[in-house]
Amino acid sequence: MLEQKYQSLVAILQDMKKVVVAFSGGVDSTFLLKMAVDTLGKEQVLAVTADSETYPTSERIEAQSLAERIGANHQVIETSELAIPGYTENDKNRCYFCKNSLFDHLVPIMKERGFANIVYGVIADDMSEYRPGMRAAKEQGVRGPLQEADLYKEEIRELSKQMDLPTWDKPSFACLSSRIAYGETITKEKLTKVEKSEAFLKTVGVRQVRVRTHENIARIEVEPQDMDKIVKNYTRITEKLQEYGYQFVTMDLAGYKSGSMNKELSHKKQEAILTVYN
């Protein structure tokens, strides 16, 4: 089954001929970039990374290193989500505004450089989750080859491992704005606070971490096996996160869960929106 999906992905990419890859350096976009370069050839592929306030510097540096390792042509562009009308208000359409702006930047690059398609790392798992960015992709004709080939995260990790990609076991990552509770205004200061807090938590041995922000409260999400590391270092963690600007520091006993902020949206709203995306 996995081999069939792999061959399906190859066929999808071959049909596209020349692609611009929206490249973040995460598990999915790295695998997609590798597949595109291997399938189409270096000159038929351009990786573009958007460097903005919501994208940690460490991730941008890693993306540049990964593109070089893969042998891909790579371009870093400067963008600003905070300048997008409606974005900082942080309502349920935040990710739509973000992706729509990203694709607005990529379309001219695609046309100027003579490429045929823009692709991004949406996967099969995303079809059952709240992903407003998929609507922006649909509106702008941006395709998701991994999702079209019905590839799931664990399958992508397995294929990445076979290809010796260092991202095969990389923790999942989402933009820093996803840490801020819906309805709470997004600011540069809050994003910096989140970035610094998560970077510090990784120094105590935690790999997968989110610092969910509810005004002056930091709600730390880690995987259950890492909770003891937070407890053992609670004094250092509390002092450091308070230094960064939080008043209260807590740990969520439910553990890490991708998209946990989406619980704040009613199920009825999520179902209605998902119908549009699918």
Side-chain angles (χ1 to χ4, degrees):
M1 179 65 73
L2 187 55
E3 176 62 23
Q4 290 175 359
K5 291 185 179 185
Y6 175 89
Q7 294 301 331
S8 175
L9 177 58
V10 169
I12 290 167
L13 289 168
Q14 286 176 335
D15 186 59
M16 291 184 179
K17 296 182 173 56
K18 296 184 69 174
V19 299
V20 172
V21 180
F23 180 57
S24 68
V27 177
D28 306 321
S29 68
T30 300
F31 173 69
L32 177 58
L33 179 60
K34 171 68 172 170
M35 286 294 301
V37 171
D38 287 356
T39 303
L40 302 175
K42 177 179 178 179
E43 297 308 316
Q44 311 308 312
V45 180
L46 174 65
V48 180
T49 299
D51 191 13
S52 71
E53 311 93 339
T54 69
Y55 187 57
T57 300
S58 59
E59 291 292 315
R60 190 256 303 156
I61 292 171
E62 184 175 1
Q64 290 174 303
S65 175
L66 287 165
E68 183 176 357
R69 177 183 178 129
I70 291 170
N73 292 315
H74 186 213
Q75 180 177 348
V76 178
I77 60 174
E78 299 292 329
T79 62
S80 175
E81 279 88 354
L82 299 185
I84 302 170
Y87 184 88
T88 59
E89 285 84 345
N90 196 20
D91 67 11
K92 66 181 184 297
N93 292 310
R94 181 193 70 229
C95 292
Y96 169 80
F97 295 136
C98 176
K99 279 292 190 290
N100 198 50
S101 176
L102 171 63
F103 300 145
D104 278 343
H105 282 84
L106 296 186
V107 168
I109 293 173
M110 175 190 71
K111 292 179 178 178
E112 290 168 9
R113 301 285 291 271
F115 286 84
N117 292 278
I118 298 170
V119 296
Y120 77 126
V122 65
I123 61 176
D125 307 65
D126 297 328
M127 302 309 291
S128 60
E129 297 183 5
Y130 178 59
R131 303 289 185 186
M134 289 193 285
R135 178 159 57 94
K138 184 175 182 180
E139 290 174 355
Q140 300 218 35
V142 175
R143 292 178 62 180
L146 304 181
Q147 181 271 317
E148 291 178 27
D150 198 34
L151 280 161
Y152 286 81
K153 177 72 78 175
E154 289 309 309
E155 294 172 323
I156 292 166
R157 289 189 184 279
E158 174 58 31
L159 289 170
S160 296
K161 186 176 182 180
Q162 293 176 18
M163 293 178 173
D164 198 31
L165 288 173
T167 49
W168 77 268
D169 65 343
K170 181 178 180 178
S172 297
F173 181 80
C175 83
L176 295 174
S177 293
S178 67
R179 310 334 190 230
I180 300 173
Y182 284 111
E184 183 179 338
T185 302
I186 299 172
T187 66
K188 174 62 175 175
E189 292 71 27
K190 290 176 183 176
L191 295 172
T192 299
K193 182 167 64 173
V194 170
E195 181 176 1
K196 288 182 176 179
S197 298
E198 292 187 356
F200 177 75
L201 287 167
K202 289 176 183 177
T203 68
V204 303
V206 174
R207 293 189 72 226
Q208 184 71 77
V209 60
R210 296 288 187 270
V211 176
R212 307 294 187 186
T213 299
H214 304 264
E215 297 295 349
N216 62 352
I217 300 172
R219 176 170 58 85
I220 299 170
E221 290 183 11
V222 295
E223 294 176 329
Q225 64 267 27
D226 284 334
M227 288 182 179
D228 64 324
K229 296 174 184 175
I230 302 298
V231 174
K232 288 177 181 177
N233 293 279
Y234 77 92
T235 300
R236 290 173 55 211
I237 291 171
T238 301
E239 290 176 351
K240 186 59 70 172
L241 268 61
Q242 287 180 338
E243 178 185 316
Y244 293 149
Y246 292 106
Q247 185 175 355
F248 303 103
V249 180
T250 68
M251 180 172 67
D252 192 329
L253 296 182
Y256 163 75
K257 182 173 176 55
S258 175
S260 68
M261 285 299 199
N262 293 334
K263 291 180 180 178
E264 299 174 26
L265 304 174
S266 71
H267 292 300
K268 198 169 287 187
K269 282 182 180 177
Q270 287 192 50
E271 290 171 5
I273 295 168
L274 281 170
T275 299
V276 174
Y277 301 149
N278 292 328

